[in-house]
Amino acid sequence: MRERSTTGEWDREVPDTKSLLGWSLPEGRDAVPSLTWLVERLRDSRPDWGLLSSLVRFDDERYVRTTLAKTDACELLLVCWMPGQGSLVHDHGGSAGVSLLVQGSLDETRYDWAGDRLLPAVVERAREGDLLIEESDTIHRVHNSSRRGAVSLHLYAPPMEGMTPYDSQVVRAPRPVDVGAGRKRRQRAG
Ligand SMILES: [Fe+2]
C-alpha cells in the first residue's frame, strides 16, 4: 500500500517539538549519541495529547505520514493508519529509531535474510503505549490489522534517506503475538 506524505502542506501548521513533546530536537549532526538515548527521550516525553490529536489525519486510500520536525540530528514523524493499511517491507536507509503507539494497535513483522529471500522472524502486536525499536539494520513491515485507526509517533536519527522496499523478496508472515511487558512504555495518565 502506498503512503501519503504531507510534509509540504503541514510546514506552517505543525507546532514546535517543545510544545508537542516537552523538549526540542537536538540540532547538530552528531547530537544523538545512541539509539538508547533516542528511546529514552521518546519514552520519557510528556506529549501534549490535545496538540497531537489535532495533527491526526486519516486517508481512505493510504496511510498518512507527516514529518513534524527535522534537524541535522533526527526527525520526528506522525503516521496515521486506517484499518487494513500498512507499509511495505522496508529498511530505514541506515537510520535507527523508535516508534510510540499513540492510539490503536499495529502489527510489526521483522524479517531476516535467508539467501536472497526475506523470511519473517518475529511478528508482534504493539498496543497503545508500546514502543517499537528499530535498529539501523531492521527490516520490517508495519500493518494495522485492527478495526480502528492507529496513530504512531516515530523518532529517527539521522533523518531517514534512501529507505529500501523489499516486497518482491518476501515470504509472508504468520499471526502476531503481543509485544508484552518488556517493551511497554509507562502508562499514560488519563
Ligand atoms: Fe519502519
Side-chain angles (χ1 to χ4, degrees):
M1 191 164 297
R2 290 180 304 162
E3 70 176 38
R4 173 185 167 201
S5 172
T6 57
T7 306
E9 49 191 275
W10 282 81
D11 280 350
R12 283 168 297 177
E13 299 176 41
V14 175
D16 63 83
T17 314
K18 190 164 179 58
S19 304
L20 209 53
L21 296 182
W23 55 284
S24 299
L25 294 190
E27 297 283 342
R29 181 127 190 103
D30 301 318
V32 175
S34 65
L35 177 56
T36 302
W37 185 90
L38 216 56
V39 172
E40 288 174 351
R41 293 304 305 203
L42 192 59
R43 185 193 64 202
D44 297 338
S45 293
R46 301 286 183 273
D48 182 323
W49 300 112
L51 213 47
L52 204 56
S53 62
S54 73
L55 301 172
V56 169
R57 297 287 183 279
F58 291 102
D59 186 306
D60 287 341
E61 295 296 317
R62 66 207 74 174
Y63 68 89
V64 180
R65 178 182 186 266
T66 304
T67 303
L68 298 181
K70 188 173 181 178
T71 68
D72 287 344
C74 55
E75 68 179 326
L76 180 69
L77 308 172
L78 184 73
V79 187
C80 302
W81 320 73
M82 292 277 283
Q85 294 179 341
S87 71
L88 297 173
V89 178
H90 63 276
D91 66 19
H92 305 85
S95 295
V98 55
S99 305
L100 168 64
L101 257 290
V102 174
Q103 175 190 308
S105 69
L106 289 171
D107 294 346
E108 183 203 32
T109 307
R110 294 196 176 221
Y111 292 85
D112 287 336
W113 286 106
D116 60 353
R117 301 180 83 195
L118 283 167
L119 297 179
V122 182
V123 189
E124 293 182 320
R125 178 157 298 161
R127 301 179 191 280
E128 206 166 292
D130 284 341
L131 290 170
L132 295 173
I133 296 167
E134 292 145 271
E135 308 274 354
S136 57
D137 60 353
T138 294
I139 297 176
H140 71 169
R141 175 175 186 259
V142 179
H143 180 254
N144 181 6
S145 60
S146 76
R147 294 183 180 178
R148 58 182 289 235
V151 178
S152 51
L153 203 54
H154 304 250
L155 188 60
Y156 293 103
M160 271 192 294
E161 291 177 9
M163 273 173 66
T164 305
Y166 292 100
D167 257 24
S168 61
Q169 292 146 300
V170 163
V171 174
R172 293 291 162 197
R175 291 171 61 85
V177 297
D178 283 350
V179 165
R183 290 161 67 188
K184 193 81 179 174
R185 183 179 181 267
R186 62 177 167 72
Q187 289 294 311
R188 280 169 50 186

